Amino acid sequence: MQLTIKKFNFLIAVIFITSISVQCLFAYIDIISFGGMLIVSLMWIPLLACLLSGRKCINLMLVSVKRIDIKWIGIGIFTGFVLLFAEQGSLYFGRLGHLNDQVYFLDTVRQQIHTTNVALLLGNEPQSYAFFALNLCLTITVVGVLMAILVVFPFEACWRGVIFQELSNLVGIHKAPIFVGLLIGLCAMPLSLFGYINPNSPLLSAFIYMPLLSVGLSYVLAGLAINTVSAWPTAIALGIYFIGSSNLFLLPDDASASMAAKGVVLALATLWIRSALISRFEQAEQQKEDITHQVEACS
């Protein structure tokens, strides 16, 4: 670890205490009316915590800000769309969703799609299936990248750029996503307890659903973060996923259906990525042992 244990614990404590306090404040004011402002505030809290944690923490965060790799940006965009389409498939095959008929109308006679209440970059006139797919994907990409820059990146610069990297050095890359996911779930627990995430089952959401979903998403993002210290790929993946979740064809029937669909997608992704991370960790450990044996043999 590049941070001392004391500094690392201070960073986590500042994020946790500030996040809980802000959520309680918004709940007291009216969490439903100011929900969007609350989410933005929670996204910026980790960045502010890094700024309060000393020069070393700031330098680690700046590395994740300055490093931009076009290849991994593309992989981040691809990951966001994979999550989106996988969730749509889960909603469809699990019969957990319904057509977003307030926005899209399928004209099967002319084989066109009509859109209302949405602004697409290439126009909103009736368009063919292929052109609409291009139009929608381009719009989600541009808006998702803007959301990543303005909202998600401060969150990822701390959690993936600093905390995940430090935990990877401490407990290994195959265990770090578990701790990161649980910490994020713990910091966001009041959202569930106050009924903002799922008003039908706040306790179940707070203590079961959200921690598991946070760990699953943490594994997905670890697949991006482990190969680059840049936080841009994970931020863009989340930005696209967040924007697209409420703008594609199928919408979840309710909050429980939404969490169930996300759970299926993230569970399958977690099984695959965790296996890859464990394999990579074992290879790294074996390489360390081989180098140690070579040094001992030379001496």
Side-chain angles (χ1 to χ4, degrees), residues 84-115:
L84 275 179
F85 295 140
E87 184 175 312
Q88 289 284 290
S90 182
L91 289 172
Y92 177 77
F93 292 108
R95 296 182 178 179
L96 299 170
H98 59 275
L99 178 65
N100 189 5
D101 52 12
Q102 298 297 315
V103 177
Y104 305 113
F105 172 73
L106 276 67
D107 186 344
T108 56
V109 176
R110 295 184 175 87
Q111 294 189 333
Q112 291 181 331
I113 296 179
H114 300 252
T115 61

Side-chain angles (χ1 to χ4, degrees), residues 55-72:
R55 175 56 58 183
K56 192 67 175 180
C57 187
I58 294 174
N59 289 340
L60 290 173
M61 182 188 64
L62 287 176
V63 170
S64 70
V65 174
K66 294 177 180 178
R67 184 164 297 182
I68 300 177
D69 188 322
I70 299 300
K71 169 189 171 183
W72 285 98

Side-chain angles (χ1 to χ4, degrees), residues 116-257:
T116 56
N117 302 318
V118 65
L120 299 176
L121 289 177
L122 301 182
N124 287 59
E125 67 281 353
Q127 47 204 262
S128 66
Y129 296 161
F131 185 80
F132 170 76
L134 172 64
N135 197 359
L136 181 62
C137 288
L138 180 61
T139 302
I140 290 176
T141 300
V142 172
V143 179
V145 170
L146 288 175
M147 183 176 184
I149 295 172
L150 299 175
V151 179
V152 184
F153 186 75
F155 183 88
E156 286 298 297
C158 178
W159 280 107
R160 237 64 58 174
V162 178
I163 296 175
F164 173 73
Q165 302 297 337
E166 292 296 282
L167 280 174
S168 296
N169 295 327
L170 182 65
V171 300
I173 58 177
H174 65 302
K175 292 181 181 178
I178 298 176
F179 290 97
V180 171
L182 290 177
L183 287 171
I184 292 175
L186 189 62
C187 290
M189 187 172 290
L191 282 175
S192 297
L193 292 176
F194 295 141
Y196 183 75
I197 301 296
N198 185 359
N200 296 324
S201 54
L203 293 177
L204 191 63
S205 298
F207 296 105
I208 302 296
Y209 287 152
M210 284 303 295
L212 291 178
L213 291 178
S214 294
V215 170
L217 188 58
S218 182
Y219 266 107
V220 172
L221 298 179
L224 297 174
I226 200 61
N227 290 296
T228 174
V229 296
S230 173
W232 289 109
T234 58
I236 289 174
L238 282 181
I240 288 175
Y241 181 52
F242 291 158
I243 288 297
S245 291
S246 57
N247 290 285
L248 288 187
F249 283 106
L250 295 178
L251 295 178
D253 292 331
D254 52 33
S256 296

Side-chain angles (χ1 to χ4, degrees), residues 13-27 38 42 45 183-191 193-194:
V14 171
I15 295 174
F16 176 75
I17 294 172
T18 308
S19 297
I20 298 298
S21 300
V22 168
Q23 289 171 81
C24 291
L25 175 63
F26 273 86
L38 170 60
L42 292 177
I45 284 173
L183 287 171
I184 292 175
L186 189 62
C187 290
M189 187 172 290
L191 282 175
L193 292 176
F194 295 141

